[in-house]
Amino acid sequence: MIDKEILKENLNNTLLETNFSQLGELYRGKVRDNYIQKYKNKRILIASDRLSAFDRVITTIPFKGQLLNQVSNFWFDKTADIAPNHVIGVPDPNVTIAKECKPFPIEMVVRGYITGSAWRAYKKGEAVSGIKFPEGLKKHQKLPETTITPSTKEEKGIHDEPISREEIIEQGIVDKDVYEQVEEYVYKLFEFGQNYCAKNNLILVDCKYEFGLTADDEIVLIDEIHTPDASRFWILDTYQEKFDKGEEPDILDKEFFRGWLMEQAFMGDGEIPDIPDDIRIELAQRYVKSYEIITGKEFSPALGNIKERIKKNLNL
Ligand SMILES: Nc1ncnc2c1ncn2[C@@H]1O[C@H](COP(=O)(O)OP(=O)(O)OP(=O)(O)O)[C@@H](O)[C@H]1O
Ligand SMILES: [Mg+2]
């Protein structure tokens, strides 16, 4: 586990944002600065250290960008034979060069357990993405089968809404044969992720995938895969006991930060509270821990000035 001193020393060495206009057309997402090179069909994704909650950038966390980029690429690597992905290369710990794709305007959410928004809807007797789960399920229970609950992918600032498989196909949002191929990829990727995680005492509870079409009309996995931002992880060996007692599972994510923000009476509106150093360090430790449990590898922080390093690695 990383030395706390290293995190402390790097509290002021984080990557908030980049402005490399020579790299291409900039689209700044919540986490990544994307530079699009249309004529080359390439997208340079630079993972920043931004931490957002309630759709706002709250602070930066040392090494978060590197951690996310490297977790994603760990999985892209491991799953390339299951589903083709957008990665061309990883020239820097924070940077992925990808094939620029036409994203399908849906998010493929896949669930092994009933929790989160699906649980909230189920409790009210509602279907989720047109799927009616069997009666009598308890909160956090394993679903009888892995279930895809797609949602729309909206522009920045608009909330994604669940949508059914039938609606996606009938409305021509994605062609039926393409959707079926995507579905097959999703089930296989999720199964692979679950099996891999189980070996590291983790449950891959649910996650979301995005897919798109390359310039050559190939269906590929884009964006990110099995990161703490796009997935929910629980600790495997305590799950059953906690579930039987009706307790919350042990988690491996950043929910605690939302809780902390809410304690400061911040729920997305008004001035962003100052985030104390020890909270930022705690979050960094959690991200490092997640990385190490998920990948089973020790995290090796890239030290030194991040922007300068990226510039050098991208020949800017
Ligand atoms: N290969 C790709 N081709 C085209 N778009 C991509 C590709 N990979 C990722 N994207 C898109 O790039 C963006 C990645 O940046 P980031 O994850 O920070 O954005 P985000 O805040 O999640 O974005 P959004 O709010 O648009 O979902 C996402 O909008 C994602 O859909
Ligand atoms: Mg994203």
Side-chain angles (χ1 to χ4, degrees):
M1 186 66 190
I2 194 165
D3 189 345
K4 224 172 148 171
E5 281 308 307
I6 294 182
L7 299 176
K8 223 185 203 159
E9 284 161 15
N10 283 277
L11 281 170
N12 292 321
N13 179 34
T14 56
L15 190 66
L16 175 61
E17 57 182 39
T18 62
N19 283 292
F20 300 140
S21 52
Q22 65 275 48
L23 254 191
E25 187 192 322
L26 172 63
Y27 168 81
R28 186 165 288 140
K30 285 189 282 290
V31 175
R32 293 168 187 83
D33 284 356
N34 297 248
Y35 292 91
I36 299 144
Q37 303 181 343
K38 277 218 177 83
Y39 53 100
K40 285 191 181 160
N41 293 317
K42 277 189 190 168
R43 171 177 293 238
I44 322 287
L45 297 108
I46 303 186
S48 75
D49 295 321
R50 297 193 280 275
L51 176 69
S52 46
F54 305 106
D55 279 336
R56 297 192 49 194
V57 177
I58 309 291
T59 182
T60 57
I61 303 298
F63 306 113
K64 177 175 183 280
Q66 182 191 345
L67 286 156
L68 283 183
N69 190 46
Q70 291 185 337
V71 170
S72 235
N73 279 300
F74 168 84
W75 290 108
F76 276 133
D77 240 24
K78 288 243 178 299
T79 60
D81 56 343
I82 299 177
N85 63 58
H86 71 169
V87 178
I88 298 172
V90 186
D92 178 276
N94 288 61
V95 182
T96 294
I97 301 184
K99 295 178 187 169
E100 170 67 0
C101 296
K102 220 171 132 205
F104 302 130
I106 53 170
E107 301 207 334
M108 295 298 279
V109 180
V110 56
R111 303 172 186 275
Y113 294 75
I114 186 140
T115 187
S117 62
W119 168 253
R120 290 193 291 276
Y122 176 79
K123 214 171 45 175
K124 287 190 262 173
E126 293 169 4
V128 183
S129 305
I131 292 157
K132 201 101 181 99
F133 290 111
E135 268 172 49
L137 293 176
K138 296 199 182 85
K139 190 180 184 188
H140 307 315
Q141 188 165 346
K142 190 173 193 331
L143 288 167
E145 54 194 30
T146 297
T147 308
I148 299 176
T149 57
S151 68
T152 59
K153 184 167 164 55
E154 305 290 352
E155 295 292 312
K156 247 187 200 167
I158 306 173
H159 280 291
D160 301 335
E161 293 291 340
I163 183 169
S164 71
R165 180 186 199 279
E166 291 68 32
E167 286 169 306
I168 291 170
I169 294 168
E170 273 161 27
Q171 294 173 21
I173 297 172
V174 180
D175 288 345
K176 183 160 185 275
D177 52 335
V178 173
Y179 190 80
E180 282 168 355
Q181 174 65 76
V182 167
E183 260 178 342
E184 197 186 316
Y185 286 150
V186 169
Y187 285 123
K188 285 187 178 161
L189 289 168
F190 190 62
E191 192 188 358
F192 179 88
Q194 286 196 310
N195 290 337
Y196 197 96
C197 283
K199 287 191 274 179
N200 293 330
N201 191 29
L202 276 185
I203 298 175
L204 178 61
V205 179
D206 48 39
C207 61
K208 71 104 184 140
Y209 302 106
E210 293 181 31
F211 291 84
L213 273 188
T214 64
D216 309 324
D217 276 344
E218 191 188 9
I219 302 166
V220 297
L221 177 64
I222 65 170
D223 202 43
E224 59 180 339
I225 164 169
H226 302 166
T227 63
D229 279 3
S231 329
R232 188 178 267 123
F233 298 96
W234 293 337
I235 307 299
L236 176 60
D237 62 8
T238 57
Y239 166 77
Q240 194 59 44
E241 190 193 332
K242 298 254 172 174
F243 177 77
D244 291 342
K245 288 197 213 151
E247 290 174 11
E248 292 294 303
D250 290 322
I251 55 173
L252 187 77
D253 65 17
K254 55 191 177 124
E255 275 301 297
F256 120 99
F257 184 60
R258 280 171 74 91
W260 183 87
L261 281 173
M262 279 151 81
E263 279 168 31
Q264 320 300 308
F266 180 81
M267 291 182 67
D269 298 315
E271 206 174 312
I272 293 170
D274 274 335
I275 314 299
D277 286 355
D278 54 341
I279 295 287
R280 292 176 66 216
I281 292 172
E282 167 75 29
L283 280 161
Q285 279 180 313
R286 283 179 185 235
Y287 268 98
V288 172
K289 191 172 156 219
S290 300
Y291 172 94
E292 295 188 339
I293 299 181
I294 294 167
T295 64
K297 292 196 232 176
E298 195 181 334
F299 175 62
S300 153
L303 302 174
N305 185 287
I306 307 169
K307 255 186 216 167
E308 290 309 317
R309 191 195 66 222
I310 292 177
K311 273 188 175 158
K312 195 165 147 253
N313 285 332
L314 293 181
N315 302 315
L316 293 176

